[in-house]
Amino acid sequence: MIISTGALFAAMNAKDGPWMGFVVAFGVWVLFFWSYSRHSKKMAERKFRERMFEQHMRSNQYNNRR
C-alpha cells in the first residue's frame, strides 16, 4: 500500500502527464482486492469442506454406537 500512496502523491505533484502515477496507484489496489477475494474464496471452500467432514464424522460416530 506504500507503493500506491507514493504513486498517488507523485501523480498529484506531476506537472506533465500524471496518468502513469494514477495507473500504478489504482493498479496496486486492483491487485490487492483481486488477491484478497481469491484468498477469501479459498478460505470459504476450506471451511465448507471442514464442516462437511465434521458432519460426516458425527454421522459415522452416531451410526457406530447403535
Side-chain angles (χ1 to χ4, degrees):
M1 298 306 123
I2 294 172
I3 295 171
S4 67
T5 304
L8 189 61
F9 285 147
M12 291 169 50
N13 290 327
K15 294 180 182 177
D16 297 332
W19 301 110
M20 189 52 124
F22 287 125
V23 167
V24 170
F26 290 115
V28 168
W29 278 102
V30 166
L31 288 174
F32 171 73
F33 284 122
W34 176 69
S35 132
Y36 180 76
S37 70
R38 219 175 63 174
H39 178 71
S40 296
K41 287 179 186 177
K42 285 182 181 179
M43 289 303 294
E45 184 179 328
R46 180 179 293 153
K47 188 178 279 190
F48 175 75
R49 280 185 282 147
E50 287 176 359
R51 211 175 299 132
M52 293 301 289
F53 178 71
E54 288 174 0
Q55 183 179 0
H56 172 71
M57 292 304 288
R58 268 188 250 123
S59 70
N60 281 351
Q61 184 178 15
Y62 180 73
N63 289 336
N64 287 338
R65 287 184 182 176
R66 287 184 162 180

